[in-house]
Amino acid sequence: MPDSTVRAGLLDPRPLNRSGPLDSTPTMVRRAEDAHGDWLRETLGIGPAATSAVLAAAGRPAAPMHALGAVPELAPDLRERALRTLILPGDERLVVTDVVPVDERIMSGQRFALRVRFAAASLNPPRLVRVAVEWAGDPFANEILLEGEDAARGYINVPFGEDQTLPVGAASFEVTLYNALGARARFRTTCAVLPSNPFSLDLGPDAAFVTGTWSARGVRHGDAYDTGIAVTLSNGDAGGVQLPAGFHWKFWDGGVGGTLVEEGDGAFPGGTIEVPGHNTWRGTIGFHSPANSGVYNHYEARNDMTIEIIMSGPFGPVRGTITCRTMFRYGVNITRVATEDFTNQEYTDLGTAVNRTRTLYEQRDMTFDVQWRGIARANVGGYEIIDSFDEFHQLLSDWSGPDTDQNIDAFIVQSIAIAGTGVDGIDGSIPGPTSHAGPDSGITSSKCGYVDAGGTRRLHAEYLGMLIGHELGHYLGLVHVGDAGNLMLPSSGTNDIALTYGQYDTMIHHGWVRID
């Protein structure tokens, strides 16, 4: 039996408290009353006359932001730069200029606080700060009201208590600042939470192929699977450490200690790894698993595995694990019934709804391809309004197919008006057949339209996306459940979007679901 092969490389280092690729950049913005001549000349690159004119315009108690437009000493480009750099007393604007940990770094399992720095007009000070936290667990948020002294000093410390401590790994903080006028400012930063113990090894998916559940993704290329992972070594000690670049890898079925699928050795380039004090080191490992290798066979059997990496750390062996699985794919025919009755805006909204459905499934490591179809009103035969279950099944018999494709037919009708039901969607059977013959091959959804305040016909894209996803779940074998927030609740709503691992495991065994 052939074995998997491994190749290791290095990733670019990232700053400890600015480690996310989507993080905001700190800005040099000040309240006008805090600015002085030297700072203005250096920041804007202007001369003494223009500096005096700017300070005079900005110093008026209720000067609005457009006051700088009346400063003749400023060229147009400098005027724009000044507007981006100064917050005048009458401004409605506010800016979050930076977000950093109060104690320089965040340590695992320990309380911490973030310092939110801002610039805001003295007449329109900020009133509320909200910090949303994304980490390895469920997202959560802190909200704090600002007092007068907070606004005057230009920052507020947002504390996180004993029940909000974080584990080792990346944590992203989305900060939103509001004033009483409804203006808001945002800033995002990602911090590497360091180990308190004080050294750790953590695994994540590589940047190119990420599953919805933050697992490593096995991607099929011809007669082989490639699996990439990122390795982070975190040093919570003040002194730098060195360790050998070699590592041992294992693929387990059933988690660490279960059935060993494959194992081997590899090494990062350079022979020795150096991790600076209070910092991280990052590398990447790629596994190539040819046909009939243990890893290949487990992917083909649609089984999850666990990757374990073991290295010789400064205080003994360190190890990290991550689940690996494939992404599964199926096809959907989205068919508009009575195409002439869909406006351009409704067609656009339907596309938005379908993209939302795809997002719901990709969070559970499934995705789908779409074929767009339509039935003209002249040929629709009354099916634009479904007023009985018999009529729905007849629609499937007449229009599902062709039998040469293996896509689920999803018909979007003008309305479903079955007396005494109040349903917006119907499925043919649970699970749906792997054939287009007969009256059960497909689902249908009402297009769920409305007229907006401007008189434009629209679709409830968010609700319709959930509804289509719910009916597709039935076709793939899911029954109704009673779990709060689940997509398959009997009367699921816009916020009911979760799918469990058990539901995922049911759907991936439908005959029309294939490995991506």
Side-chain angles (χ1 to χ4, degrees):
M1 177 181 294
D3 294 326
S4 298
T5 56
V6 64
R7 182 176 61 184
L10 305 181
L11 292 171
D12 293 334
R14 290 177 178 170
L16 183 66
N17 294 325
R18 205 82 66 193
S19 60
L22 301 178
D23 287 354
S24 304
T25 301
T27 59
M28 290 293 296
V29 178
R30 285 192 179 184
R31 295 193 311 172
E33 53 261 54
D34 298 330
H36 54 79
D38 290 341
W39 182 84
L40 275 174
R41 283 192 292 272
E42 180 180 348
T43 304
L44 299 180
I46 57 179
T51 299
S52 299
V54 168
L55 289 175
R60 295 195 296 273
M65 60 180 291
H66 57 74
L68 292 178
V71 179
E73 291 84 355
L74 283 179
D77 60 327
L78 291 177
R79 197 171 300 142
E80 290 296 321
R81 193 185 306 172
L83 286 172
R84 293 194 300 268
T85 305
L86 292 173
I87 297 291
L88 276 64
D91 269 353
E92 298 180 2
R93 303 174 298 159
L94 68 167
V95 178
V96 178
T97 58
D98 202 3
V99 177
V100 295
V102 171
D103 296 325
E104 296 187 32
R105 63 191 66 91
I106 301 173
M107 306 299 292
S108 64
Q110 296 184 12
R111 298 182 180 184
F112 66 97
L114 293 180
R115 176 160 295 176
V116 178
R117 298 186 180 277
F118 56 83
S122 54
L123 296 179
N124 298 309
R127 297 300 188 191
L128 175 72
V129 62
R130 184 178 191 272
V131 181
V133 186
E134 298 174 6
W135 59 297
D138 293 331
F140 64 92
N142 274 4
E143 292 185 352
I144 293 182
L145 294 173
L146 280 78
E147 305 294 340
E149 58 269 23
D150 300 320
R153 71 186 178 207
Y155 71 85
I156 183 172
N157 294 336
V158 181
F160 291 81
E162 191 69 35
D163 60 342
Q164 296 174 324
T165 62
L166 298 170
V168 175
S172 294
F173 303 94
E174 183 82 36
V175 178
T176 309
L177 193 66
Y178 302 85
N179 65 17
L181 300 176
R184 63 184 179 181
R186 288 180 173 170
F187 194 99
R188 179 183 177 89
T189 192
T190 303
C191 298
V193 181
L194 296 177
S196 300
N197 58 347
F199 195 85
S200 72
L201 184 159
D202 300 284
L203 304 183
D206 72 1
F209 295 100
V210 180
T211 67
T213 48
W214 197 246
S215 304
R217 180 177 169 191
V219 180
R220 185 166 182 172
H221 294 127
D223 291 331
Y225 280 94
D226 293 308
T227 310
I229 60 173
V231 179
T232 301
L233 298 172
S234 300
N235 181 13
D237 197 69
V241 299
Q242 291 186 342
L243 64 153
F247 57 86
H248 188 71
W249 57 269
K250 297 180 179 181
F251 278 78
W252 296 93
D253 181 15
V256 174
T259 302
L260 184 61
V261 179
E262 283 192 61
E263 66 178 323
D265 294 296
F268 293 102
T272 301
I273 294 172
E274 297 188 10
V275 187
H278 289 147
N279 219 312
T280 61
W281 174 96
R282 301 169 65 240
T284 182
I285 301 175
F287 299 92
H288 181 76
S289 304
N292 296 319
S293 65
V295 170
Y296 178 97
N297 290 340
H298 272 69
Y299 278 137
E300 284 289 291
R302 308 189 180 201
N303 292 331
D304 288 357
M305 290 173 285
T306 298
I307 300 174
E308 182 182 23
I309 302 295
I310 307 165
M311 299 183 70
S312 298
F315 311 104
V318 289
R319 64 193 67 216
T321 62
I322 188 171
T323 300
C324 59
R325 56 172 59 113
T326 62
M327 180 76 85
F328 292 93
R329 184 180 294 272
Y330 60 99
V332 181
N333 298 325
I334 300 292
T335 302
R336 292 171 295 150
V337 179
T339 53
E340 296 91 335
D341 290 340
F342 285 79
T343 67
N344 289 338
Q345 182 60 58
E346 288 176 323
Y347 190 25
T348 298
D349 291 342
L350 179 58
T352 302
V354 171
N355 285 334
R356 174 166 173 76
T357 305
R358 184 183 289 109
T359 299
L360 302 185
Y361 276 86
E362 287 183 349
Q363 290 174 356
R364 191 32 94 178
D365 304 325
M366 297 181 67
T367 190
F368 56 82
D369 301 310
V370 172
Q371 292 290 328
W372 290 94
R373 297 178 175 178
I375 305 173
R377 168 168 283 283
N379 302 322
V380 81
Y383 290 135
E384 71 272 23
I385 298 175
I386 300 298
D387 54 21
S388 71
F389 289 109
D390 287 342
E391 186 179 30
F392 159 69
H393 288 290
Q394 191 61 48
L395 166 66
L396 301 186
S397 293
D398 289 350
W399 287 100
S400 285
D403 218 25
T404 52
D405 78 24
Q406 295 185 343
N407 291 355
I408 302 171
D409 282 302
F411 296 94
I412 312 301
V413 298
Q414 298 299 311
S415 67
I416 298 175
I418 302 177
T421 66
V423 297
D424 291 322
I426 316 172
D427 61 276
S429 62
I430 303 175
T434 53
S435 167
H436 287 293
D440 294 328
S441 184
I443 66 168
T444 190
S445 299
S446 167
K447 71 178 186 180
C448 303
Y450 70 101
V451 178
D452 68 15
T456 301
R457 286 167 50 188
R458 303 291 304 267
L459 302 186
H460 288 283
E462 196 169 20
Y463 175 75
L464 184 56
M466 179 282 303
L467 177 63
I468 294 171
H470 179 103
E471 301 306 333
L472 289 174
H474 282 317
Y475 199 99
L476 296 172
L478 301 186
V479 298
H480 285 151
V481 299
D483 303 334
N486 195 277
L487 180 65
M488 302 310 296
L489 282 167
S491 298
S492 50
T494 300
N495 295 322
D496 300 317
I497 58 176
L499 288 165
T500 67
Y501 179 82
Q503 291 171 317
Y504 156 84
D505 193 48
T506 295
M507 291 188 291
I508 65 174
H509 290 96
H510 189 278
W512 278 351
V513 174
R514 57 192 181 273
I515 296 173
D516 189 11

